[in-house]
Amino acid sequence: MSTTNRLIDFCRGIKGKASSNSSVIKSLTEIFKKYGLHPNATKATLSSNSLQPKSYKLRIDWSHTDFESIEKVGFFTEYMVNLKDDGNVDKVIALNNLQDVSEELITVTSLDNQWKAVVREKIGKDKKSSQVIEFWSKKGKIKTLNGDKDKSFGKIHCSPTFGKMSWSRDGSQLMFIADKYKTTSGFFEEPKKNKDNNDESKNDLDENIKPSGQGEEYLLKEDWGEQLEGTYNPIVCIVDRKDDYKIRTIEIPGVTCSEAFWIDDKTIGFVGIMEESRRLGLILCPVRKSCLFKCDLRDPESEPICIYGKNINIALRSPRVSYDSKKIVFLCNPPSGPHGQASSLVVLNLQDSTTKTLINTNCSLPNEIEDPTEIRSLYCIYLPNPCWLSDNKSIIVEASMGYRTHLFHINCETGLHTRIALPGKVVSVLSLLDDLVVLKISEPNRGNNLQIGKLNNNDNQLALIPVDSNYEVRIDDMEYRCDIIEKIDPATNDKQIITSVYISPKELIDQPSATILFPHGGPHLHFVASYISAVAAMIEVGFKLILVNYRGSTGINSAHEKFLCGKVGTTDVEDCIHVLKYYIEKSQIDPKQVFLLGGSHGGFLVTHLIGQHSDFGFKACKVRNPVTDLASGFGTSDIPDWHLVEGSGDLKIYPFIKPTPELLKRLLLKSPIFHIDKVKTPVLMCLSTKDKRVSMSQGLNYYYGLKARQIEAKCLVYEDNHSITKETHFLDMSVNTMLWFLDHLLSTF
């Protein structure tokens, strides 16, 4: 399809439904496959080059979808980075070492580039899978460890929630987070006798000791919720390469260990998450009570000690230690309230145990979006790793503001923070070493724009040069605009803002045409103006998209995010209608061709819209794992506190809550299912059988309610998690979504 003859135009001229036309289905599949084939840079690793003092090695890890096997493929490319005499980057030379690493779960290289650890999943003769750690030197593979085989550790965790595997600075030890290895004797059966001992060697007391784990086969095992199934008891594991690969484990009863890091070669630190009355979901929920611990490895019997958070109610994450091992910087939040919220930035002096708050969360001024001079409220899930500069005084952070993400330089001694001027709307740090930084710069019509440069501490400037333009994605027939839309709060008469990213086929940017309104989930998250392959695919089909950041979205300040608590189903719904009217008045969207798309809380919003505003005439709606009933969701989700915070507005109500009739009524009245009698819009429902965040029963109940009322509805069910991330499922859902919208493009109720 050409840019002026898009698939949406072709569908207007066909007879029958788009979903019955093989040409349409083929074109849609090819469009989504094309964007899925574009590699996405996921990680970068800089390492010093001992052979050439003014050069570095750079490895970029990529992933994309193989549509022959419909699976995710990983590979890496390598480069030589040469510096000028003044320390700035001279040139980047591709080494043409493209290697497939799809079978590698984790790969980490020592600082001196002499050792590499690789985690793989192996399938044994009994068809059971287990993880192994391979140790490689320049001479080849030296050692393989299997935690299941030697019963030293269980599942190794590689998600950002638990931090990354890392080498000690001297390359002698490897540290990671894994579940504690646990065996049970199963049912109440007779324990097997030890062949090396006879009955006479045991005394009566030994005979009366219950075998470990006996009768616990069916005992409830609490994990950490959505996408962390089977994560029960994470501990710190350290492999000593010089001591015959001996494994030392560190654990604290009632505490989950996460984000372990090296303070120096003999001391480690880690975050301990409190296992309170129950384990609540951790993914995208960094508000669980936690403390910062350290442990001296020189003494084999040493126990971890708490160095921050023992006597205060705090949730902390993302600890980063300075190169001189004197300071740790980390993010803090209260252990309650909205799951996405502004964080405090704290630095801990390890020499005298004093702390200093560099950025707090109580700023009443909103963040400036386009050209900020300071960080008023800090929004970032994690700090760059590493984030310290070589002076051991300064760090760099990514700060999201409205629809943008900026890079800031922060002096941890003076507290001064300065924005580093960069092109593009969104910037993320992929690697940092010796003040040499690799950045990924993005906007809706440009992806994989990788740049590298040397940060000059004197003027906070980066002289950037491209890493590899061969992998860059440019979409010339797409345009976008970012808007700040004002809204007056009738209760206080205060001026508040909604931000949005308006993305369009180039030829339709100023013409009213078919548009998809896409509110984000969370609700305390936000859209930034970055490249999203699925959005690019929908633009190529011929739809416009409006990515809306309603009040309650992050990126502005704490008051803005908390404004929504207790007002869900009202304020966020009003804001979506307000944004639609804004673009209708500008004649940029056709009010008779508006479609709705949303997942999780975004699904909550679009099902509210088709109920509360059924007279608007939305053409069709697609929802993924939506929250449709806050009252029933309170008892079925891995984050029941979310329902109470958002539904009742009480930021500290969980877990001391009794589900009274009054509370349940209040939650029900804020739910989309309360408005189901008014729905007229056709609905495509996409649900997951393994969703722990929003039970599949939520979407099913809503779907059956639509069917009972003779509303056109279709339900797709995937064996997947809340986000529906499996490649084959995502492709099926994407094509079905476009077919649903195209089928209803010219339909009437």
Side-chain angles (χ1 to χ4, degrees):
M1 299 289 172
S2 68
T3 58
T4 56
N5 184 24
R6 296 184 185 267
L7 184 59
I8 197 171
D9 300 313
F10 174 78
C11 290
R12 294 179 194 276
I14 65 173
K15 295 181 179 180
K17 290 189 172 184
S19 57
S20 300
N21 188 294
S22 59
S23 296
V24 174
I25 295 172
K26 181 180 178 182
S27 296
L28 277 174
T29 305
E30 288 176 349
I31 289 172
F32 280 98
K33 282 184 176 181
K34 179 179 76 172
Y35 287 99
L37 280 170
H38 290 157
N40 176 46
T42 58
K43 186 177 73 170
T45 307
L46 277 166
S47 57
S48 57
N49 186 356
S50 57
L51 300 177
Q52 299 181 30
K54 290 185 179 180
S55 69
Y56 291 79
K57 287 184 178 180
L58 170 62
R59 166 174 161 159
I60 305 290
D61 284 74
W62 308 83
S63 71
H64 70 92
T65 302
D66 177 0
F67 286 101
E68 293 296 324
S69 57
I70 314 292
E71 62 183 4
K72 190 71 74 176
V73 173
F75 67 94
F76 71 83
T77 52
E78 288 186 314
Y79 307 87
M80 186 71 72
V81 180
N82 293 332
L83 304 184
K84 301 175 183 177
D85 290 338
D86 61 3
N88 286 317
V89 179
D90 181 25
K91 56 186 175 181
V92 179
I93 304 169
L95 300 180
N96 298 318
N97 290 338
L98 190 151
Q99 296 185 36
D100 185 358
V101 292
S102 302
E103 294 183 355
E104 298 180 5
L105 299 178
I106 309 172
T107 301
V108 57
T109 306
S110 61
L111 287 176
D112 60 7
N113 214 28
Q114 298 299 308
W115 289 90
K116 182 172 72 171
V118 178
V119 179
R120 303 183 195 273
E121 191 159 0
K122 298 288 187 179
I123 307 297
K125 294 180 180 179
D126 57 0
K127 305 299 181 182
K128 292 183 179 180
S129 64
S130 62
Q131 292 174 332
V132 300
I133 308 176
E134 299 173 352
F135 290 83
W136 293 75
S137 73
K138 297 292 185 181
K139 297 179 180 180
K141 185 166 64 174
I142 304 299
K143 180 76 173 179
T144 300
L145 292 179
N146 187 325
D148 285 339
K149 189 174 181 180
D150 60 27
K151 301 182 180 181
S152 54
F153 57 85
K155 178 183 176 182
I156 299 171
H157 299 297
C158 52
S159 72
T161 302
F162 292 107
K164 65 179 186 179
M165 178 178 282
S166 61
W167 287 95
S168 59
R169 296 178 185 178
D170 63 2
S172 65
Q173 299 177 88
L174 181 73
M175 180 165 60
F176 55 94
I177 299 291
D179 247 54
K180 182 178 180 180
Y181 187 86
K182 187 174 182 180
T183 59
T184 63
S185 296
F187 193 58
F188 292 102
E189 57 189 8
E190 197 67 32
K192 294 180 180 179
K193 301 206 173 183
N194 192 328
K195 294 181 180 180
D196 297 330
N197 296 317
N198 53 44
D199 292 341
E200 296 177 358
S201 65
K202 297 183 178 181
N203 57 40
D204 292 338
L205 184 62
D206 290 334
E207 290 287 351
N208 292 326
I209 294 176
K210 186 190 85 167
S212 175
Q214 188 182 38
E216 297 178 1
E217 183 177 1
Y218 304 105
L219 189 68
L220 173 66
K221 298 180 180 67
E222 278 192 69
D223 60 25
W224 283 104
E226 171 66 22
Q227 297 180 46
L228 294 174
E229 294 83 354
T231 302
Y232 305 120
N233 190 11
I235 60 175
V236 180
C237 301
I238 302 164
V239 181
D240 192 333
R241 183 177 56 79
K242 292 185 176 180
D243 189 12
D244 196 26
Y245 296 88
K246 183 179 178 181
I247 301 173
R248 177 176 178 177
T249 60
I250 297 172
E251 59 183 295
I252 304 173
V255 173
T256 280
C257 301
S258 69
E259 298 194 82
F261 60 96
W262 294 95
I263 296 177
D264 54 43
D265 288 331
K266 301 299 181 183
T267 314
I268 66 160
F270 62 91
V271 174
I273 306 170
M274 304 301 118
E275 300 169 358
E276 297 181 294
S277 58
R278 65 169 284 191
R279 292 171 173 83
L280 298 175
L282 283 180
I283 294 289
L284 294 177
C285 306
V287 292
R288 307 307 180 204
K289 185 177 179 181
S290 46
C291 298
L292 193 61
F293 293 87
K294 76 172 183 178
C295 184
D296 190 339
L297 300 182
R298 288 171 292 189
D299 179 3
E301 304 299 323
S302 62
E303 297 290 335
I305 60 172
C306 180
I307 57 175
Y308 187 80
K310 184 176 182 180
N311 298 315
I312 55 176
N313 247 353
I314 202 76
L316 60 88
R317 68 189 186 281
S318 207
R320 307 289 185 252
V321 65
S322 59
Y323 294 109
D324 61 5
S325 304
K326 294 180 179 179
K327 293 181 284 292
I328 303 175
V329 67
F330 49 90
L331 299 169
C332 280
N333 291 97
S336 60
H339 288 172
Q341 53 181 276
S343 299
S344 297
L345 182 65
V346 177
V347 61
L348 168 66
N349 189 317
L350 289 170
Q351 294 179 304
D352 58 14
S353 298
T354 59
T355 60
K356 180 178 182 179
T357 301
L358 302 171
I359 301 174
N360 59 41
T361 60
N362 59 7
C363 182
S364 60
L365 294 174
N367 279 325
E368 301 169 292
I369 295 174
E370 285 297 339
D371 297 303
T373 56
E374 62 180 340
I375 303 174
R376 294 170 178 172
S377 295
L378 178 60
Y379 292 93
C380 62
I381 299 178
Y382 298 103
L383 296 171
N385 192 9
C387 66
W388 284 91
L389 300 180
S390 58
D391 62 0
N392 289 304
K393 298 178 181 178
S394 308
I395 62 171
I396 56 173
V397 301
E398 305 161 12
S400 290
M401 300 176 179
Y403 46 74
R404 299 198 63 161
T405 301
H406 298 279
L407 188 66
F408 274 81
H409 171 278
I410 299 178
N411 188 306
C412 294
E413 294 185 350
T414 65
L416 180 67
H417 32 108
T418 309
R419 181 173 65 92
I420 302 170
L422 294 167
K425 295 293 184 183
V426 177
V427 58
S428 58
V429 178
L430 295 184
S431 188
L432 174 65
L433 180 65
D434 297 338
D435 302 341
L436 191 64
V437 61
V438 181
L439 301 176
K440 184 177 180 180
I441 300 173
S442 178
E443 48 195 313
N445 54 7
R446 190 177 182 188
N448 282 330
N449 176 16
L450 304 186
Q451 303 279 330
I452 187 169
K454 190 86 169 186
L455 183 62
N456 188 327
N457 280 327
N458 296 325
D459 55 13
N460 294 313
Q461 295 297 313
L462 268 172
L464 297 172
I465 69 169
V467 172
D468 194 336
S469 58
N470 292 319
Y471 293 95
E472 189 175 335
V473 179
R474 287 179 179 267
I475 307 174
D476 295 329
D477 59 346
M478 176 200 293
E479 286 192 12
Y480 73 94
R481 292 171 185 164
C482 299
D483 293 295
I484 299 174
I485 305 168
E486 293 185 352
K487 198 173 193 303
I488 302 297
D489 179 17
T492 61
N493 209 35
D494 290 338
K495 185 185 295 183
Q496 299 173 329
I497 65 171
I498 307 164
T499 67
S500 65
V501 185
Y502 169 77
I503 312 173
S504 172
K506 188 173 184 178
E507 71 276 10
L508 299 174
I509 186 71
D510 289 317
Q511 298 179 32
S513 60
T515 302
I516 300 169
L517 181 74
F518 187 6
H520 60 73
H524 306 290
L525 299 171
H526 66 283
F527 279 121
V528 290
S530 63
Y531 173 76
I532 305 172
S533 61
V535 169
M538 289 186 275
I539 296 295
E540 181 162 329
V541 172
F543 288 97
K544 291 179 177 178
L545 278 96
I546 300 174
L547 313 183
V548 58
N549 293 322
Y550 42 85
R551 287 172 294 172
S553 303
T554 52
I556 306 300
N557 64 7
S558 293
H560 186 85
E561 85 214 6
K562 291 182 176 66
F563 179 80
L564 183 60
C565 298
K567 302 186 186 76
V568 292
T570 304
T571 295
D572 42 6
V573 176
E574 291 173 355
D575 289 355
C576 289
I577 293 294
H578 187 74
V579 168
L580 284 173
K581 290 179 178 178
Y582 171 84
Y583 287 106
I584 290 170
E585 290 173 1
K586 293 169 70 73
S587 297
Q588 292 179 331
I589 66 174
D590 183 349
K592 296 181 179 180
Q593 298 185 76
V594 176
F595 299 80
L596 298 174
L597 173 67
S600 194
H601 187 83
F604 172 90
L605 271 176
V606 296
T607 47
H608 257 305
L609 284 166
I610 61 176
Q612 293 189 48
H613 296 274
S614 56
D615 292 337
F616 188 94
F618 296 108
K619 298 299 291 182
C621 175
K622 178 270 179 132
V623 288
R624 170 191 51 79
N625 292 316
V627 178
T628 63
D629 185 351
L630 288 168
S632 68
F634 165 60
T636 58
S637 173
D638 70 327
I639 51 171
D641 57 320
W642 179 91
H643 296 74
L644 298 171
V645 167
E646 304 304 338
S648 73
D650 190 329
L651 305 187
K652 298 181 180 180
I653 195 171
Y654 190 84
F656 308 105
I657 184 64
K658 184 170 75 172
T660 63
E662 293 75 20
L663 173 64
L664 295 178
K665 178 182 178 181
R666 187 176 182 183
L667 295 178
L668 178 61
L669 292 176
K670 294 179 181 295
S671 302
I673 202 161
F674 182 73
H675 302 280
I676 196 170
D677 285 338
K678 295 174 281 186
V679 174
K680 304 174 186 176
T681 305
V683 176
L684 173 64
M685 186 77 64
C686 298
L687 305 176
S688 300
T689 61
K690 296 182 177 180
D691 190 347
K692 288 196 166 188
R693 186 122 305 173
V694 181
S695 170
M696 193 173 81
S697 61
Q698 292 260 316
L700 276 179
N701 195 29
Y702 193 85
Y703 168 73
Y704 290 136
L706 294 174
K707 296 287 283 186
R709 291 163 175 79
Q710 307 299 311
I711 303 300
E712 184 182 0
K714 181 178 179 181
C715 185
L716 303 174
V717 178
Y718 302 98
E719 190 176 347
D720 210 325
N721 58 34
H722 182 61
S723 300
I724 306 185
T725 54
K726 291 181 181 178
E727 285 69 29
T728 182
H729 298 163
F730 185 78
L731 177 61
D732 180 87
M733 181 176 64
S734 299
V735 173
N736 267 299
T737 298
M738 288 293 95
L739 289 173
W740 187 255
F741 287 176
L742 291 170
D743 276 348
H744 295 90
L745 184 64
L746 300 177
S747 65
T748 56
F749 295 131

